[in-house]
Amino acid sequence: NSTTTVECTGTITDENGGDEITSATATIYRSGVGSNCTADDNNCYQISSCTLGPAVGNDKNATCTVDIWFHADPTDAGTYATAQGWDVQTWQCQITATDAGGLTGSGTDSIPPEVVTLTALDVDSSITYDALDPGTNMASTSIAVNATTTGNVPIDIQLKGDDMTSGANSIPVSNQHYATSTVAYASGISLSGTYATLEVDMPKPTTSPSNSTDIIYWGWGVPSGTPAGTYTGTNYFNPVED
């Protein structure tokens, strides 16, 4: 849900001497949108000023730095990238230099990199269920847990959990039920100790903070004969590419 700092470096040559090189800019972009793209955190990053090193003969080195957001378009062979036709593209960096006479020249990566598929998820840190007597359950899956995609592809969510324990006593993990909406407890999906995929179809985020969110609703039941106590356990949320 953040950025990664990326550096694009190159050597600029001016036949009149490296001292003639006065400035440089850069564009880092998905190749499909071209170097003349409009700034967009999904596919086009404009760098208005690059850092120039000292002149060495006819050359100066340029270092162009930008923070690329988590939702930048993937160009690997992932399912989503392939469906978009981005798997045959790359990410490019084009550096444009200007000399003392106002003349410009540009160069682009000879071996451009990929942005890889990122499946990532941020969820609420806890679920607090209603207090229940043994042999009863919540009427419905009414406890809302917010989930936010923090990667760069559409996702579904895999869920599993541990038994809930209080000292030596436990409540089976299957007594937790979940759903994509508020439903009767009996109609919810029983949580298990192995991952099961929940179809949430959360789309690729296109902004930061992420604009791809969903809610998973939870409820629980307490078996007859369960000793009184405060029961706790761990549930696991694993994002998978949709």
Side-chain angles (χ1 to χ4, degrees), residues 37-58:
C37 56
T38 300
D40 185 320
D41 287 344
N42 292 284
N43 53 42
C44 181
Y45 291 78
Q46 304 285 355
I47 304 171
S48 59
S49 180
C50 301
T51 300
L52 297 179
V56 179
N58 290 341

Side-chain angles (χ1 to χ4, degrees), residues 189-209:
I189 302 167
S190 292
L191 191 63
S192 74
T194 57
Y195 276 124
T197 300
L198 178 65
E199 293 283 343
V200 290
D201 299 324
M202 296 170 69
K204 173 191 181 293
T206 56
T207 64
S208 53

